[in-house]
Amino acid sequence: MSHISSLTKYVGNFVDQLYQSGVRHIVISPGSRSTPLSLTFAEYNRFQIWVDIDERSAGFFGLGIAKETKEAVVLVCSSGTAAANYFPAIIEAYYSRTPLIVLTADRPHELRDVGAPQAIDQIKLYGNYVNWFHEMALPEETDHVLQYVRNHADRAVKKSTDLVKGPVHLNFPFREPLIPDFSLSDIWGEDSRFLMHYRANDTRLDKHTLADIYEKLRSKQKGMIVCGPHDSPVLAKHILLLAEAWNIPVLADPLSLLRDIRGNETVIESYDSILKSSKVRDRLEVDFILRFGAMPVSKSFLQLVQERNIEQFIVDEEISYRNPSINGAHYIYGEPIAIADQLTQLPLSFDLNWLAFWQDLNRETKDILRSDQSLLTEGTAVQGIQSSIPIKSTLFVGNSMPIRDVDTFWFTSDKEVTIVANRGANGIDGILSTALGTAATGKHVTLLVGDISFLHSINGLLMTQNYDFNLTIVLINNQGGGIFSFLPQAKEDNSHYELLFGTPQNISMEKVAALYEIEFELVTDWTQYQEALNRSYQNGGVSLIEVQTVRNENVSWHQSKWQEVEKNTLTVLEETRDVR
């Protein structure tokens, strides 16, 4: 058995098993040591191959595809710092529970730690940020090793797409020569080596656990369901059934998949604005909170939980402590849909006046937040997208102020718009690439992003030169880090504020668009903005719409809205003392 024959069949069996196990998208960053993997993926001719020369962008691009498809996406790179550039995307995938399979090529063992070029220590390179790591054996073509390589390909997919999804990392040491011989017979392996898995997806709480939950809740009257970020449309529907059975409100995060369902009066979208006031939080009497999904975007909800001794029940797929309030909580582990269904069967029903109170308050708050729609502000920019965005499309939201404005100004609708964001680690890196990844499957994606996040990930636009995407970029340009204007450091008489926090870049966004040959429009009023959005959706392709705002004016505009909400909420609380 020659080295080339062993290399070809070893990698061929691995690649074939990935396909048999469900992988369809491969994102490759070119390199020499990864030649066996890259050539074999291309030769297999059944995958969608994407090539991105920048590993940091490639990692986030693959992340976007995985977020959209809910399937594992493979990343392939060479050895050395190429692998290190994946790290930010891997961290985001770990915390957002997104399936990635990271394949890093490596020098063989004899060339490690001896000064060989492009050789770093890649063993457990990503530490605890992967669901599983394995250093692959050197290529052989014995039946035993070919079954081993299949087993590990399949295991990588299953570890990545398990109940708690996440990234996995396989490190491949390859000796030279690196070019496979595809003229050989039986490259892809035999059907007898294929693997099957059979697993029950339903998990049930036992009767003693349900009885205990019932005892804890039956004397309470003013509860709320809180739904944070998750990726299951089916779960969203079951949460609504639970809320209707119990007659309690659902505080719905923008990433909860509950804001694209119109007509359900239990959904409270404006809770973040309502809870911003400490006076309101002090006067609300909440008996219990039942939370599904990750912690919501809303800081004011977190403050409510931190400030009050509210009994919490947190549903999660695995033993975890996704509870940044640090207060005590009851943890319910298992498949969330099954748990929601079982809780729905408990003979519990709570104060109807409490639900009506939240419904009335939500309607009034939305009326306040909807006013002045003719003005073009950072808040109304969100409402402009919602009025124009095509049905069954995707809104990708950047971090910092964009996701908070979506939380505040995006209300329930029947457009079936999926809202996606990188809220695992909440970073601004890779936003453009992740948005392009979500567009890679054919949907028209709208990206709402700030100027600093846009410039931070601008290299991701290289992909638009080689592939066709439908992406509308709404760029909020307030000449710097607008979110810091809402924080205490902006209120201090500090001569270093602009240098360290404001960070204006003074880049011509029109020239950026010209560099990447994408359509550009600068809009200055509401009418222009709506027209630009409609043109982008009608024409397709990639376009950049710039909305220029002033940071201080934006802060004042937001604060005036929140003050009006606070005034109205306190009035309602005074009028309805029996339900507060």
Side-chain angles (χ1 to χ4, degrees), residues 460-471:
L461 288 173
L462 282 170
M463 291 290 281
T464 65
Q465 301 298 292
N466 300 312
Y467 302 97
D468 293 327
F469 301 99
N470 291 316
L471 179 69

Side-chain angles (χ1 to χ4, degrees), residues 527-539:
T527 301
Q528 278 187 327
Y529 179 51
Q530 291 292 282
E531 291 173 348
L533 283 170
N534 290 329
R535 272 193 296 273
S536 175
Y537 295 136
Q538 290 167 7
N539 295 338

Side-chain angles (χ1 to χ4, degrees), residues 13 16-17 20 44 46 147 150 186 188-196:
N13 275 262
D16 180 70
Q17 185 60 55
Q20 301 301 334
Y44 193 75
R46 298 172 76 180
Q147 187 63 59
R150 280 193 174 276
D186 193 26
W188 312 114
E190 302 171 359
D191 290 350
S192 61
R193 294 197 179 106
F194 295 165
L195 305 167
M196 295 295 295

